[in-house]
Amino acid sequence: MTEDIDIKQNICPKCGKPTKKGLCPECRIAETEWLVCDKRVQCTQCPTCNSIKNGAIWSDCNMETEDLIAEIALSAVHLHENMNDYNIQLSHFDPSPNRTSVKIKISGEIYGRHVEDECRTLIVWIKEQCDRCSRYSGGYYAGVIQVRADGRRPDDHERAVTEEIATEIEDSVQNAGERLSFITETKNTKDGVDIVISSHNLGESISREIKKRLGGKVTKHPKLIGEKDGRPLYRITYLIRLPRYQKGEILYSKGKYLEVRYIESGLLKVFDFEDGMLKSLREDEVERSVGNIRVVENALVTHTEGDTAGILDPKSYESREVLIPKWLHIREGSEIRVIRDPENDLLIPVG
Ligand SMILES: [Zn+2]
Ligand SMILES: [Zn+2]
C-alpha cells in the first residue's frame, strides 16, 4: 500500500473532512433518503357501519378515529432500513369534510447521528357503502327460519329462547368475521317466529341450536331462485316444528302428574311426581297439560304427620294437606315447590 491511497481512505471524498472510510456520516446522511412520505393516501370507509375496504375486501373497523388516522398516516411513511430508535409525532386537521391533513414529525438515529425531519400527508376519505350494508338496504335474504309447534303455537318462553339463540349466533358469526351472515328481520307472528337470514350457514346453525334447546324436528325446503356465476342459487326455508309437549311440561294422565324430561323415539319420557320414577308415555295417553316446571310456587310447610304434610297455599294462605311423595324429603318450617292444578283444586309437590 502506498501513502497516497491511505490519505484517500481517511478523508471524505465529498467534503474533505477526516473519516474512517468512504463518505463521512454527514455526507452519507445527506445522500440518503431516510424519510419518504406519500403525499396522499386514500381510505375507503362505509358511512353506515365504518367498515374499511382494503383492496376489494371489506372488514369491520373497531378503531377510534384518532387511531385510524394514525394508522393510515403511518402507512404513508417509509423509513430507511438503517434508521434506529425513531420517534414519530402526529398532528392533524381537516381542511375539508373528506380530507385530513396529517403532519408527521420524525426523529431518530442513522449512521450514528441524530436526525429529524417532518412531512405531511393528506388522507382522502372515500365514502362507499360496504358489501354488508348494501345487502341490508337491498333487503337481501338467503332463507327463512320458521319456528312452529306441533298441534299448538309456540309459547312466550319458546319465542324468547328462539330470538335469544338467533342473536347469539348472529353475534358469534359476525365476530368470527362472517360479515355477510346477518339477520335481516325477525317477525313474531300469531303462528310462531320467522327469522329472515342472509346466509345458509346462519340458517343451519340457528335451526340446529333451536332444535337442540327446544326439541322438535327441522325440515329444509330449498327453492331455486336463479343462478350466480354458473351455480344455482337457492333460498331455503328451515321449518322447525317444536314438539307437542315441551321439556318441563307437567302433564295429567290417569290420575297422575308427570313432568316431561325428554322425548325418545316418539315416546314421552316422564317423571312421575307420585313415586319418583321415570316412565314412558304415549301422546294419546295425555289427558291435559297442567303447566310447566319453570312456573312453580313456593309453599311453606307448617307441619308433617306420617305421610301427609300441612302446607300454606301461597296464594290464599289457607292450610292445605298434601301427600308427601316418597322421593321428597319435607321438613317443617321449610319451603317446597308446588304446581297448582286449578281443575282438580290441588297443589302438587314437585321439589
Ligand atoms: Zn463528508
Ligand atoms: Zn357498512
Side-chain angles (χ1 to χ4, degrees), residues 12-17 19 22-28:
C12 171
K14 210 167 171 198
C15 67
K17 274 195 235 157
T19 177
L23 289 173
C24 70
E26 283 73 22
C27 289
R28 226 175 145 192

Side-chain angles (χ1 to χ4, degrees), residues 45-51 58 60 128-134 136 179:
Q45 191 169 34
C46 175
T48 314
C49 71
N50 292 332
S51 288
W58 284 98
D60 281 299
E128 189 183 313
Q129 199 177 41
C130 75
D131 48 0
R132 183 175 52 208
C133 290
S134 63
Y136 258 128
R179 292 174 50 78

Side-chain angles (χ1 to χ4, degrees), residues 293-322:
I293 198 74
R294 288 191 309 269
V295 191
V296 294
E297 296 175 51
N298 292 314
L300 182 71
V301 179
T302 52
H303 63 273
T304 58
E305 202 182 309
D307 57 358
T308 61
I311 60 169
L312 218 50
D313 185 320
K315 279 205 177 117
S316 66
Y317 295 104
E318 280 167 30
S319 266
R320 279 169 175 262
E321 287 218 321
V322 293

Side-chain angles (χ1 to χ4, degrees), residues 18-55:
T19 177
K20 280 185 190 140
K21 191 176 150 202
L23 289 173
C24 70
E26 283 73 22
C27 289
R28 226 175 145 192
I29 291 166
E31 292 228 316
T32 306
E33 238 188 345
W34 62 268
L35 169 65
V36 177
C37 194
D38 300 333
K39 292 269 166 299
R40 269 167 82 100
V41 267
Q42 279 189 358
C43 177
T44 305
Q45 191 169 34
C46 175
T48 314
C49 71
N50 292 332
S51 288
I52 300 276
K53 194 179 187 182
N54 277 309

Side-chain angles (χ1 to χ4, degrees), residues 82-147:
N82 291 332
M83 274 287 281
N84 292 315
D85 297 329
Y86 52 85
N87 180 281
I88 301 179
Q89 282 179 324
L90 304 171
S91 56
H92 63 86
F93 72 99
D94 294 352
S96 70
N98 55 351
R99 298 281 188 278
T100 300
S101 174
V102 189
K103 188 159 98 177
I104 305 156
K105 276 182 146 180
I106 298 180
S107 60
E109 211 187 274
I110 188 165
Y111 307 130
R113 293 286 192 281
H114 176 83
V115 286
E116 54 181 63
D117 202 353
E118 59 179 56
C119 62
R120 204 169 260 290
T121 192
L122 187 69
I123 302 175
V124 178
W125 301 99
I126 296 166
K127 298 287 176 199
E128 189 183 313
Q129 199 177 41
C130 75
D131 48 0
R132 183 175 52 208
C133 290
S134 63
R135 277 197 175 191
Y136 258 128
S137 59
Y140 176 88
Y141 72 102
V144 183
I145 300 168
Q146 293 187 323
V147 182

